[in-house]
Amino acid sequence: MKFHSKPNTYVGHVNIKVQNINRSLVFYQEVLGFEILEKTEKAVKLTTDGITSVLSIEQPENVIPKQGRTTGLYHFALLLPKRSDLADIVHHFAEIGLRYGSSDHLVSEALYLSDPDGNGIEIYIDRDPSEWTWNNGEVSMTVDPLNFEELLSVTKRQSWSGLPAGTVMGHIHLHVAELKKAEEFYSKGLGFEVVNRYGNQALFLSTGKYHHQIALNTWVGVGAPAPSENSVGLESFTIVLADEATRDYTIAQLKSIGASVTEERGSFITYDPSGNRIYLEI
């Protein structure tokens, strides 16, 4: 997982809001195969290796259902270590009768689903980077049908044992109010590089020549408002930076474009122009 380790900048953790923590736990444990790392009455840190957490869920006070046509989470994406891991999940989903979408993106093979509250989820594996096609700094991606027959040929059917320990947060895809300010924030502010433009409605950004650690779109409408603080959806996500010097430089860059950065109990927090909360960690 070289694209999700230092010195690259990457998404390390996502925290989402749900309506009913116990209902969500059933889904995230039994359907996706997470384990509980830490649990309080209204918040849970989830893990695949028993040591680190890539995903947290929490139930806000006076929580309301997911609001349509607002900025925030389109999906978070769990990256699996091996292609056979994806095939195993396909078998598992078939056994429990779960409905989901799928796609071949050239750079990756992906499954798409939502949790009980409508929070979007992608589960994917990368093709070897040697198979990715780059032209003038842009990586080729598409939305082709997934070849299930070929995918399932890489593994023998076996009992489901949960998400593999090497699972990482591969990327996050966000609804934003407009792309120009968002691009400035994520590129000039956070140091990501635009590696693909999907017309004038979506951007894919990365460091280290990955296909994307961040994706942004205006598919819910230009000028879409931020959701209520107590709405189901994205609470925050964490960007991991290489070291303290990189963090200090990034904070200076963010402030130079007018973004606010605050320190709270040793954590540095910023917000993108659409109100998405981001923690900066090293």
Side-chain angles (χ1 to χ4, degrees):
M1 302 289 186
K2 67 175 183 177
F3 298 109
H4 302 85
S5 57
K6 299 176 181 181
N8 292 318
T9 300
Y10 59 94
V11 179
H13 182 271
V14 172
N15 188 2
I16 58 171
K17 295 176 284 188
V18 299
Q19 278 190 275
N20 184 303
I21 198 85
N22 294 317
R23 179 183 66 175
S24 294
L25 267 180
V26 172
F27 173 84
Y28 282 102
Q29 288 183 277
E30 296 182 9
V31 176
L32 292 192
F34 277 102
E35 297 175 356
I36 294 173
L37 185 65
E38 294 179 21
K39 185 178 187 297
T40 64
E41 187 181 354
K42 298 292 186 181
V44 181
K45 289 185 178 180
L46 298 166
T47 183
T48 60
D49 63 4
I51 302 168
T52 57
S53 175
V54 297
L55 180 70
S56 294
I57 56 175
E58 65 176 60
Q59 181 182 323
E61 289 294 319
N62 305 311
V63 62
I64 60 174
K66 184 178 175 67
Q67 296 177 276
R69 308 201 69 78
T70 54
T71 60
L73 185 71
Y74 179 47
H75 62 245
F76 63 84
L78 301 168
L79 173 60
L80 307 175
K82 304 190 304 292
R83 196 167 186 234
S84 59
D85 297 325
L86 190 67
D88 288 341
I89 286 181
V90 169
H91 282 308
H92 166 60
F93 286 172
E95 286 170 355
I96 64 175
L98 185 77
R99 294 173 64 90
Y100 59 91
S102 62
S103 190
D104 185 327
H105 295 301
L106 297 181
V107 294
S108 62
E109 295 173 287
L111 310 179
Y112 292 93
L113 63 154
S114 295
D115 75 2
D117 290 289
N119 291 306
I121 302 165
E122 177 181 346
I123 302 172
Y124 74 111
I125 58 104
D126 281 332
R127 285 203 167 89
D128 191 277
S130 65
E131 299 179 50
W132 304 351
T133 302
W134 292 85
N135 290 300
N136 299 318
E138 289 212 357
V139 64
S140 297
M141 293 190 285
T142 189
V143 183
D144 289 338
L146 187 63
N147 186 336
F148 280 96
E149 184 178 358
E150 204 269 331
L151 172 63
L152 294 176
S153 71
V154 304
T155 185
K156 293 180 180 178
R157 191 167 183 168
Q158 57 187 36
S159 60
W160 170 244
S161 56
L163 288 168
T167 302
V168 300
M169 189 60 68
H171 63 265
I172 192 168
H173 193 152
L174 302 169
H175 293 301
V176 295
E178 59 100 9
L179 285 182
K180 188 175 180 181
K181 286 182 180 177
E183 179 179 345
E184 179 186 50
F185 176 88
Y186 284 98
S187 58
K188 187 174 180 182
L190 287 176
F192 289 94
E193 181 181 10
V194 176
V195 290
N196 186 281
R197 295 181 188 271
Y198 191 79
N200 60 358
Q201 294 184 321
L203 283 176
F204 299 84
L205 304 100
S206 78
T207 61
K209 290 298 178 185
Y210 191 50
H211 54 75
H212 65 293
Q213 285 117 342
I214 302 281
L216 312 168
N217 74 68
T218 55
W219 295 334
V220 296
V222 173
S228 301
E229 186 67 26
N230 61 332
S231 165
V232 160
L234 180 67
E235 195 282 329
S236 63
F237 66 99
T238 298
I239 294 287
V240 181
L241 300 159
D243 49 37
E244 192 172 342
T246 304
R247 185 181 64 188
D248 291 346
Y249 175 79
T250 301
I251 289 170
Q253 288 296 105
L254 287 166
K255 289 180 177 178
S256 77
I257 60 171
S260 70
V261 182
T262 58
E263 187 175 358
E264 188 178 299
R265 295 191 297 274
S267 296
F268 290 90
I269 305 167
T270 187
Y271 293 82
D272 76 6
S274 298
N276 295 304
R277 183 186 292 113
I278 304 164
Y279 284 83
L280 306 176
E281 292 192 357
I282 52 177

